[in-house]
Amino acid sequence: MDKTISYLLLLGNIVLLVTGQMLFKIGLDRSGGLNWSKLIISPAVISGIALYGIATILWFAVLTRLPLSVAYPMQAFAYVLAMLPAYYIFGESITPTKLAGVAVIMFGVYLLARS
């Protein structure tokens, strides 16, 4: 049970980081790029920063429960999760090469979770 909680905290951290990145991208798109005066007041960017703050608190909890050599590489799962909103929200393509990369990442995350 304790290991399950550790991995749920890690998954929560990853989901928050991916969501924060999506909000950063939305904020950048709406502000017309790297326009700092607009970005610092962008609700999307501010929300993304807030999610990063919460993710950091979760990361602290993860680090108290899992070895860094397991937890940190497992954050590669963020690449997998980010591909779906990138496709649906931003219209980015999912190529066979990207799918192969995701398969490799998923296999690596699986191996780490078993250790």
Side-chain angles (χ1 to χ4, degrees), residues 24-45:
F24 290 161
K25 175 73 171 153
I26 290 168
L28 283 161
D29 288 349
R30 288 181 182 166
S31 71
L34 203 55
N35 184 335
W36 292 106
S37 61
K38 290 183 180 179
L39 288 176
I40 61 172
I41 60 170
S42 165
V45 171

Side-chain angles (χ1 to χ4, degrees), residues 34-81:
L34 203 55
N35 184 335
W36 292 106
S37 61
K38 290 183 180 179
L39 288 176
I40 61 172
I41 60 170
S42 165
V45 171
I46 293 168
S47 297
I49 291 169
L51 290 181
Y52 260 56
I54 297 167
T56 300
I57 294 167
L58 278 181
W59 183 242
F60 291 162
V62 168
L63 290 178
T64 63
R65 296 167 168 267
L66 294 173
L68 182 63
S69 62
V70 172
Y72 192 67
M74 288 185 79
Q75 284 194 326
F77 189 58
Y79 293 108
V80 177
L81 289 182

